[in-house]
Amino acid sequence: MCCGAAFTASAQGTALLTFDALRNQIHLRDPQISPNGESVVYVRSLGDFKRDRNDSELMLVQIAGGAPRVLTRGKFRVGMPQWSPDGTRIAYLASSSEHEPPQIYVLPMNGGDSQQVTRAGQGVLSFAWRPDGNAFAFVSEDAPANKKDIEHHLDAVVITDEDYLTQTAPLPAHLWVVDADGSHATRLNSGAWSIVKSSQPVWSPDGTRIYYQRQPDAVFAHFVQQTTYAHDMRSNRDAQVFGMVDAQPKLSRDGSLLAVSLPRHGSLYLQKDVSVRRAGDGTEIFNTRGIDRNAHWYAFLPSGAGIAFGAADRVHDRLWLVSETGVPQKVDLGDVDFGPDASVSNAGGIAFIGERTDRLPEIYYLAPDSNVPKRLTDENAWLDNYAVARTSEIRWPMDNGMTADGALTYPVGYVPGRKYPLVVVIHGGPIETSTWDFAGFEEGAPLAQIFAAKGYLVLRPNYRGSDNSGDAFTQAIVGDVSSGPGKDNLAGVDAVRKLGIVDESRIFVSGWSGGGLQTSWLIGHAHFWRAAVSAAAVNDWYQQTLLADINEPFGEAFFGALPFTPEARAKYRAESPITYVDDIHTPTLILSDTRDPRVPVSQSYTFYHALRDRGVTVQFTAFPRYGHVPSDPVGLEQALKAWVGWIERWSK
């Protein structure tokens, strides 16, 4: 059954969206509102298809109005902008050339060029202004301890939980401080342990402590053991804060409260709630368990006002305000969804990436005590020349008594009563969500619009394990990591078919990563598919658990055991798509990067040979790149064109 509002308004243009048009897409991130709440700095990036790179620059826009202006030019990998506490300068990370690691730069807002602050040999991973604005804390990897040995080819690596592509020992990262003028760079700690490389340091308001996330060593898979530490600048000692697995520490403006993200079931792969505690003794003041949504983003509001909290909610990204008594209020932003990339001013104004169904993301501002967001940018105005397909929410019952949902995109020029081919585009994760907005690669939004321009219906289902419907819905994937979602996705297809608008002879299934896993599973458990695209798919849970960069902790989170007993191995085998290869007859395109640390390409090779051996029409296209998804614009476009081209070939 189809639920919710009928359709959202479409754009004014009539041209059909193409891959050439999508080359114009401007990607926005890191909107940082100034301390006085008057302007927002953000990162703007655009694909350079001639040089096959993504170029980025800092932009500044005034909340009162006016066109954005460019702040930086001629630098590479620009990102992580941060206002100085007094708002007179902006610090950011950038590289001076394509081959140099990122360093901290500072741009004075009263005029003048950016000045390089750090010259860390391994570059800077993250940083934070000291509250007085006179120094930075930053995180940098250590240099290899055996650098001279490596230069003489004595480069053997002791493997523990590293991924199958590992050729060098992982390097731990540690904490440094440096004066804002670049002088007196000082290392604060060391050891075999490592700061979590995706985390940022947090200063206490008085500048006496730096909070950071620590894991036991530099192995990527062990980030699931991270916990909050504090470095005391007076004693030069480090101490664990709460003594539990947590993530993303954030301090209230007066330093009295510390918020962390806590895994509800012990694993950071599953649902996480925000716990706000006294910084002094760790007593919990309030949490977000009552919202019952997986934490995507959160930040403290002005002292005494609680926190802002962002999470997926059915086919939306939503914003909640949670008071210090723990009472949550969902903010109705109208037809704008709250992207999980935001910042809060000293007065409580929020700058965020706003998402809609009919246009690409832009920068928005939400004033304190308001629910009417103001759009500040029009970076993707080019899309106004194109017809944007309409999207609605669809819901359907599951076999476990729960209700699943998804985003159903209709063909451009949809005519009621006419039947159309249906493409199922399944999100990865699996703890992810497909929303109805026009954003997100693994959630399938750009593909949905391309397919809709070509006359297809597109279903992007949120199966059990998606993080948009509460902990019980997310947790339902544990143990049934392939079979449970498989039943949900088949039920979703049936729900669309019951609308009477599907060409039954042309139903396709596709997905990347967890979506690829589902694709491989579904073609072994149903035979109405016309063709399939299985990209970066988990086809063998045994290989996945032993070779990937997330390896054993991921397997334990979703199976509850490692595959080294007969009982556990049988469960892994039962949930692996390769087990059902004899039942596959669907023409299948396999896609993968050749050096994918997240889902080893060996699984794609195995699946390809198994299908070919059984006479199934199959093509395997590999992209000679490192990463789980091609990160370069040419590579990503190649992959998406291959995806659409395969469906088009079998639609005729």
Side-chain angles (χ1 to χ4, degrees), residues 249-262:
K250 298 186 180 182
L251 273 174
S252 61
R253 283 167 169 74
D254 63 4
S256 65
L257 300 177
L258 180 64
V260 291
S261 175
L262 288 183

Side-chain angles (χ1 to χ4, degrees), residues 478-479 552-563 568 571-572:
V478 174
E552 291 184 0
F554 192 84
E556 288 182 308
F558 288 92
F559 286 95
L562 294 176
K571 186 64 174 178
Y572 276 65

Side-chain angles (χ1 to χ4, degrees), residues 260-572:
V260 291
S261 175
L262 288 183
R264 190 176 290 196
H265 300 280
S267 172
L268 290 172
Y269 286 117
L270 301 170
Q271 179 149 319
K272 299 175 289 296
D273 304 298
V274 177
S275 175
V276 179
R277 297 166 176 255
R278 289 197 187 100
D281 61 14
T283 301
E284 184 174 84
I285 305 301
F286 67 95
N287 59 54
T288 62
R289 289 177 71 93
I291 297 175
D292 196 23
R293 291 293 184 270
N294 189 39
H296 287 184
W297 171 88
Y298 56 94
F300 276 99
L301 295 167
S303 294
I307 65 168
F309 175 87
D313 184 37
R314 286 173 44 175
V315 296
H316 297 277
D317 284 315
R318 298 291 197 190
L319 170 67
W320 285 262
L321 302 181
V322 188
S323 72
E324 287 199 346
T325 62
V327 177
Q329 174 193 355
K330 185 186 291 186
V331 182
D332 182 1
L333 298 177
D335 58 0
V336 179
D337 275 8
F338 183 80
D341 199 354
S343 63
V344 181
S345 74
N346 291 335
I350 301 175
F352 66 98
I353 305 292
E355 303 167 342
R356 292 172 45 141
T357 63
D358 60 345
R359 65 182 304 126
L360 287 160
E362 298 287 353
I363 306 295
Y364 284 77
Y365 170 71
L366 185 68
D369 302 318
S370 172
N371 64 348
V372 181
K374 177 182 180 180
R375 181 162 58 85
L376 303 182
T377 63
D378 202 14
E379 294 277 17
N380 286 294
W382 62 270
L383 189 64
D384 293 341
N385 297 317
Y386 293 85
V388 176
R390 299 169 175 177
T391 300
S392 68
E393 181 185 24
I394 184 169
R395 308 191 76 201
W396 61 90
M398 298 158 54
D399 70 324
N400 61 3
M402 297 179 179
T403 300
D405 59 57
L408 180 62
T409 301
Y410 289 73
V412 172
Y414 170 74
V415 178
R418 183 177 295 177
K419 294 183 183 292
Y420 295 90
L422 170 66
V423 182
V424 184
V425 179
I426 306 172
H427 72 71
I431 313 301
E432 264 287 357
T433 292
S434 283
T435 55
W436 69 348
D437 57 72
F438 198 154
F441 165 70
E442 283 198 26
E443 292 76 36
L447 273 176
Q449 290 294 331
I450 289 290
F451 277 123
K454 293 177 176 292
Y456 293 83
L457 288 159
V458 182
L459 172 65
R460 289 176 285 146
N462 291 317
Y463 48 87
R464 71 188 72 180
S466 302
D467 66 347
N468 64 331
S469 294
D471 177 60
F473 190 87
T474 300
Q475 195 69 10
I477 195 175
V478 174
D480 301 323
V481 65
S482 304
S483 57
K487 289 183 286 187
D488 302 338
N489 290 324
L490 287 173
V493 173
D494 285 342
V496 180
R497 294 165 87 175
K498 289 175 182 177
L499 298 176
I501 58 176
V502 176
D503 179 346
E504 296 284 343
S505 67
R506 292 189 291 169
I507 303 177
F508 305 87
V509 63
S510 61
W512 198 285
S513 190
L517 157 67
Q518 273 300 292
T519 298
S520 296
W521 177 270
L522 289 167
I523 59 179
H525 290 79
H527 301 108
F528 56 76
W529 309 109
R530 182 70 170 267
V533 178
S534 176
V538 176
N539 292 309
D540 182 343
W541 277 108
Y542 188 77
Q543 289 189 48
Q544 178 65 24
T545 303
L546 302 183
L547 300 180
D549 62 353
I550 52 179
N551 54 69
E552 291 184 0
F554 192 84
E556 288 182 308
F558 288 92
F559 286 95
L562 294 176
F564 300 124
T565 66
E567 296 78 15
R569 186 64 188 274
K571 186 64 174 178
Y572 276 65

Side-chain angles (χ1 to χ4, degrees), residues 55-57 72-78 92 94-96 105 114:
D55 291 335
S56 55
E57 56 197 1
T72 58
R73 296 185 187 277
K75 290 184 172 57
F76 300 86
R77 293 185 288 279
V78 174
Y92 61 96
S95 301
S96 58
Y105 287 80
S114 297

Side-chain angles (χ1 to χ4, degrees), residues 139-185:
V139 178
S140 181
E141 282 188 345
D142 297 349
N146 61 335
K147 185 176 181 180
K148 289 186 177 180
D149 288 340
I150 292 173
E151 292 172 352
H152 290 88
H153 312 293
L154 298 171
D155 52 4
V157 179
V158 176
I159 299 295
T160 58
D161 288 334
E162 286 83 0
D163 65 80
Y164 78 112
L165 293 172
T166 297
Q167 296 186 47
T168 58
L171 300 173
H174 292 98
L175 200 60
W176 294 67
V177 291
V178 63
D179 288 351
D181 63 3
S183 63
H184 303 109

Side-chain angles (χ1 to χ4, degrees), residues 203-227:
W203 284 93
S204 63
D206 61 5
T208 62
R209 293 179 307 282
I210 304 172
Y211 295 88
Y212 63 91
Q213 289 300 115
R214 180 190 286 202
Q215 63 183 69
D217 53 36
V219 176
F220 176 81
H222 297 165
F223 79 89
V224 296
Q225 300 175 47
Q226 67 184 275
T227 186

